[in-house]
Amino acid sequence: MTDFSRIGVAVIGTGFIGTVHVWALRRLGVDLRGVLGSSPERGAKAAAGLGVASFDTLEQLCADESVQAVHVTSPNHLHYPQVKALIEAGKHVVCEKPLTMTAAQSAELVALAEASGLVCAVCYNIRFYPLNQQARGMVAAGELGDLRLITGHYVQDWLAKPTDWNWRLEGDKGGDLRAVGDIGTHWADLTSFVAGEKPVAVLAELSTFLKQRDKPTGPVETFTAASGATEKVTVTTEDTALILLRYPSGARGSLTVSQVSPGRKNSLRWDIAGSTASAEWNSETPDHLFIGHRDGPNQILQRDAALMNATGAAAAHLPGGHVEGFADTFFALFSQVYSDVLAGGRQEASTWASFADGHFEMEFCEAVLASAQSGAWVKIGG
């Protein structure tokens, strides 16, 4: 295994996803230099619980020459200024999605990243479930034939009650699109990655079913229940989205996004139908890939490197039957990113999402919003 111990890394953000990053980085073996919280006090408290040091300010972090790379897991509205400052300070960056709040901001970061020569990745970790890498290899090899239909959903239930609260509900912190920006972009990135092509136009409908919510007067961690005093607030971001898609090859698609579907804890499902075969995957059963045939028995491929193509096998880290889950995807993503850091830049076989991929997702979100407002098809990036 590659020795990553000489790479100094820091993490901005100490909530749920920041903690997941810390766990994966420890497993990877980098030199974890510390975390930066939303305030010096909260950062120090979280750092003590994680057993790491803390930074008081972004400026202090940027000036620390022992830190070569930084993971940005802060609320969405902070990504752009923080990432820009980090690149200007010469730090490699792994940024949580969405990359920024607007396509104009993400375009600027793409240009800065390309000019810097630094490794700059967006944390679309779901690419790194091994069977998604397997499916990408299958499509690239023509095993599904010409692609015809790309369908699926990303549905959750953690915001299904009026008493559920998170900063993502507020447009000034999370963006004008909430469900689409938070989880719909994961589906769009993943299916584009597997299919080898990105959608070019969308027709979207957005719905907000819970227009009034109880906002706690104190802080609330993601995926945790609120307690204490609350105040009634009006919510303008969407609970659900229905999106039709057009692809450059002529393929068509549809996506359902929801954060208010009871019982659906974290279900991302895609189904790609080609002219000769189809494939389907669901994040809640990540070690199984359905492969469908017209003139022969259907198959269920269980993740096992000995049975997978080269792309899939390279992403499998555990023996077959030992399920690789959510946390493992971060380890696999970071392992590839830091191998590229040691190599001096992105390698030809690397499959992590670039800032250009993150910029496309911002263009995707803006097209979805424009389509929902106009009721018409909108060209992505147009």
Side-chain angles (χ1 to χ4, degrees):
M1 184 176 176
T2 305
D3 180 11
F4 297 111
S5 62
R6 55 196 173 97
I7 305 175
V9 182
V11 177
I12 298 177
T14 57
F16 163 71
I17 206 67
T19 300
V20 172
H21 280 243
V22 168
W23 292 340
L25 289 168
R26 277 190 165 142
R27 178 181 169 190
L28 193 64
V30 300
D31 180 12
L32 191 57
R33 304 299 300 172
V35 297
L36 173 65
S38 57
S39 69
E41 295 75 23
R42 293 191 69 188
K45 181 178 179 181
L50 292 168
V52 298
S54 65
F55 295 91
D56 289 339
T57 66
L58 178 63
E59 292 74 20
Q60 181 189 19
L61 193 163
C62 286
D64 191 329
E65 294 183 358
S66 72
V67 175
Q68 287 86 50
V70 180
H71 290 232
V72 178
T73 75
S74 52
N76 300 351
H77 69 291
L78 298 175
H79 291 182
Y80 167 73
Q82 289 176 342
V83 170
K84 184 176 180 180
L86 291 167
I87 293 175
E88 291 173 346
K91 313 294 187 186
H92 304 285
V93 177
V94 177
C95 184
E96 269 297 332
K97 52 80 214 152
L99 179 57
T100 59
M101 296 279 275
T102 69
Q105 290 177 339
S106 59
E108 182 181 348
L109 292 187
V110 169
L112 286 174
E114 290 177 349
S116 71
L118 297 164
V119 171
C120 294
V122 182
C123 194
Y124 283 111
N125 62 293
I126 304 177
R127 291 185 179 199
F128 284 84
Y129 282 100
L131 287 174
N132 285 324
Q133 301 270 331
Q134 165 80 15
R136 175 182 170 87
M138 291 172 63
V139 171
E143 294 178 31
L144 271 59
D146 296 329
L147 301 190
R148 292 174 173 171
L149 195 62
I150 302 171
T151 60
H153 66 232
Y154 199 157
V155 291
Q156 301 173 329
D157 71 356
W158 70 294
L159 294 174
K161 298 180 180 180
T163 52
D164 294 329
W165 187 262
N166 184 262
W167 58 262
R168 291 170 176 83
L169 291 157
E170 301 178 87
D172 61 336
K173 295 183 177 66
D176 292 333
L177 287 180
R178 184 231 312 165
V180 174
D182 187 30
I183 58 178
T185 53
H186 264 302
W187 188 95
D189 176 79
L190 177 60
T191 52
S192 297
F193 172 72
V194 172
E197 61 175 330
K198 301 178 186 294
V200 293
V202 296
L203 177 63
E205 180 180 44
L206 308 176
S207 298
T208 304
F209 293 100
L210 298 173
K211 296 180 172 61
Q212 291 281 322
R213 288 183 180 262
D214 299 322
K215 178 183 178 181
T217 55
V220 180
E221 295 290 345
T222 301
F223 298 126
T224 60
S227 61
T230 63
E231 58 181 342
K232 292 286 185 182
V233 297
T234 299
V235 175
T236 58
T237 56
E238 83 284 1
D239 293 319
T240 67
L242 304 174
I243 306 172
L244 297 179
L245 306 139
R246 290 174 177 165
Y247 291 84
S249 66
R252 296 294 186 261
S254 67
L255 165 64
T256 299
V257 183
S258 172
Q259 292 179 318
V260 294
S261 295
R264 298 296 187 180
K265 302 307 177 185
N266 190 49
S267 176
L268 186 160
R269 174 187 174 273
W270 59 256
D271 187 300
I272 299 179
S275 57
T276 58
S278 66
E280 183 264 348
W281 180 85
N282 191 316
S283 64
E284 293 188 340
T285 54
D287 261 22
H288 294 85
L289 179 71
F290 170 86
I291 304 170
H293 304 284
R294 166 67 185 270
D295 298 316
N298 293 333
Q299 299 170 278
I300 299 291
L301 173 62
Q302 184 174 7
R303 183 197 53 76
D304 184 338
L307 304 175
M308 297 164 71
N309 58 34
T311 305
H317 294 276
L318 298 176
H322 298 74
V323 177
E324 292 191 34
F326 179 74
D328 296 299
T329 65
F330 288 86
F331 171 78
L333 166 59
F334 299 163
S335 178
Q336 196 177 92
V337 165
Y338 285 110
S339 292
D340 287 355
V341 168
L342 291 177
R346 187 184 182 109
Q347 302 302 290
E348 185 176 353
S350 293
T351 54
W352 45 267
S354 66
F355 273 22
D357 294 317
H359 172 58
F360 172 81
E361 297 304 332
M362 294 313 306
E363 292 184 317
F364 173 81
C365 285
E366 292 189 357
V368 166
L369 187 59
S371 175
Q373 292 171 342
S374 67
W377 281 93
V378 173
K379 182 180 178 181
I380 298 173

